[in-house]
Amino acid sequence: MPTDVITSIQVHESTRRLLESRKRGGESYDDVILDLIDQEPTEAEIREFDRRMREGGPGIPLEETRKRLGL
């Protein structure tokens, strides 16, 4: 059983509607918010990306990127 305490947060009705539109199946608002947070890169990931961009090195060709993304 989770030890987290369930709390209430205030959001605008428009924000609640946006969250509702992102729910799938039996997901809770908590699930939706955690998914959104997981999609956002962390500060450490951004710094690592910046470091790699500054260092240069071999890139991934555009066609390979398209192939990986299924475009």
Side-chain angles (χ1 to χ4, degrees):
M1 178 169 205
T3 59
D4 289 345
V5 175
I6 298 206
T7 64
S8 297
I9 59 172
Q10 293 183 357
V11 296
H12 292 252
E13 179 65 23
S14 59
T15 303
R16 191 198 60 75
R17 282 193 304 270
L18 287 170
L19 286 170
E20 182 71 33
S21 72
R22 292 185 175 257
K23 287 173 75 175
R24 297 174 300 222
E27 283 187 323
S28 66
Y29 291 122
D30 191 60
D31 295 328
V32 174
I33 292 168
L34 289 173
D35 285 345
L36 291 169
I37 291 169
D38 285 344
Q39 292 173 18
E40 192 67 25
T42 65
E43 189 65 34
E45 291 169 329
I46 293 170
R47 282 194 306 271
E48 176 64 12
F49 176 79
D50 286 342
R51 181 190 67 77
R52 289 181 183 190
M53 291 299 291
R54 282 192 304 277
E55 287 180 1
I60 300 172
L62 179 59
E63 285 306 314
E64 177 63 24
T65 301
R66 286 183 175 147
K67 185 177 174 183
R68 290 182 185 185
L69 296 174
L71 301 174

